[in-house]
Amino acid sequence: MARAYNFSAGPSMLPEEVLKRAAEEMCEYGTTGQSVMEMSHRSPEYQSIIDEAERDLREIMSIPYNYKVLFLQGGASTQFAMVPLNLMTGSGKADFVLTGQWAKKAYKEAAKYGKARAIASSEDKTFSYIPKVTPDMIDPEADFVHICMNNTIYGTLWHTLPDTGEVTLVADISSCILSEPIDVKRFGILYAGAQKNVGPAGLTIVIIREDLIGHAMDITPTMLDYKTHSDNGSMFNTPPCYAIYVAGLVFKWIKSIGGLSEMKKRNEEKAELLYSFLDSSKLFRPTVEKGSRSLMNVPFVTGDEALDKKFVKEAAERGLYNLKGHRSVGGMRASIYNAMPKEGVIKLIEFMKEFEEKNNA
Ligand SMILES: *Cc1c(COP(=O)(O)O)cnc(C)c1O
């Protein structure tokens, strides 16, 4: 077996321990005589898998008792509709900060259901920074303020949360969930597609304060009402059973290494290695301003498209996969999620140094 270092933005690497455990249990889970994939979601065996996953996630993220954890489907993209359908029922207004394509999609979708307002944007500089948001910019009547905490495509992160006063803060944390501790009680809703930092695609995690449940618009489809899933323990219909099981293994892995404070330490160490190389390189440069840099997604360019292309190709030949940047930024992007080992980042930097020497005459 030769596992490559996969720098994909998502789906992305999973810890090897998790894959091995899943492989061991592939054909028979415990002594049940069946795979988790074949198991009834109504069976006591599966109930204990989903219960344990929720318990472990609550423990790792220190989720307060007055928040529900929902295991849903439809990706983060479905939350772009689900959040406004459930929350834009007070004033019917909501404020959005545009920090990238996902944030913009959330804004555009909400505009179908109410008065969505963009209060700040960093589009003027290709979303290479997090714009300043001050309390006076926020409509005190807004039903919520929406941010995208880590901008996967552009490589920016909200290092300090905006002060939204009494207004509910909602965040898309798809590409930074479990990368470091987060103060859940600062938010009304946190949501994330699993395929970046949690597990296989197909699972969406929603963490929602209880008082926000049960106020959906009349037009809300049953499946898009948080109450439907909250009342039924995420089992109104068949949940993404296997994805929840693998996510549960990832939660156990995080617990085993020492939780989110240790995860953060490791992620900071990896990111620091990469950014400090990029800041001193004569060939490569990072595209994001200091102070807004993501720990998870690191975009960089040489300034020469042909050279970028050559780099991505030669890196892949070295077992460093998926380094091509998003088409809207160009160049390269290294996604270094939780499961990317430090050795992967070191290998990448070694190759970059070599490439720089050969190509920077
Ligand atoms: C990947 C991503 C999405 C889209 O997620 P899907 O699960 O594919 O819908 C949304 N927001 C962010 C921040 C992402 O990284």
Side-chain angles (χ1 to χ4, degrees), residues 69 114 139 298:
V69 171
D139 180 351
V298 183

Side-chain angles (χ1 to χ4, degrees), residues 16 28 30 65 69 108 125-126 193 229 236 242 256 266 270 299 322 324:
E16 207 166 300
E28 186 183 15
Y65 70 92
V69 171
K108 284 189 178 154
K125 290 185 186 164
T126 329
H229 302 285
F236 172 74
Y242 195 75
S256 78
R266 293 184 185 189
K270 286 185 288 177
N322 290 314
K324 190 175 182 311

Side-chain angles (χ1 to χ4, degrees), residues 75-77 80 102 148 150 152 172 174-175 195-196:
S77 301
F80 298 164
W102 299 119
C148 180
N150 184 76
T152 324
D172 177 353
S174 292
S175 52
Q195 68 274 19
K196 315 290 170 44

Side-chain angles (χ1 to χ4, degrees), residues 257-332:
I257 68 156
L260 291 188
S261 51
E262 172 63 23
M263 202 76 253
K264 177 184 186 178
K265 204 175 120 220
R266 293 184 185 189
N267 287 329
E268 282 178 342
E269 208 181 335
K270 286 185 288 177
E272 170 60 25
L273 280 173
L274 193 47
Y275 285 119
S276 65
F277 169 74
L278 287 167
D279 283 331
S280 64
S281 168
K282 291 190 188 69
L283 182 62
F284 302 98
R285 65 174 175 83
T287 59
V288 174
E289 283 182 11
K290 279 181 183 163
S292 295
R293 290 175 176 176
S294 167
L295 294 178
M296 299 280 98
N297 312 98
V298 183
F300 55 96
V301 295
T302 64
D304 174 343
E305 263 179 58
L307 209 52
D308 288 348
K309 232 175 152 171
K310 186 173 173 217
F311 176 82
V312 171
K313 184 170 167 281
E314 289 182 10
E317 288 162 9
R318 291 287 196 94
L320 305 167
Y321 288 3
N322 290 314
L323 282 159
K324 190 175 182 311
H326 189 272
R327 58 191 179 280
S328 62
V329 184
M332 283 70 71

Side-chain angles (χ1 to χ4, degrees), residues 19 77 179 182 232 243 250 289 325:
L19 294 174
S77 301
S179 63
I182 186 167
N232 292 282
V250 171
E289 283 182 11

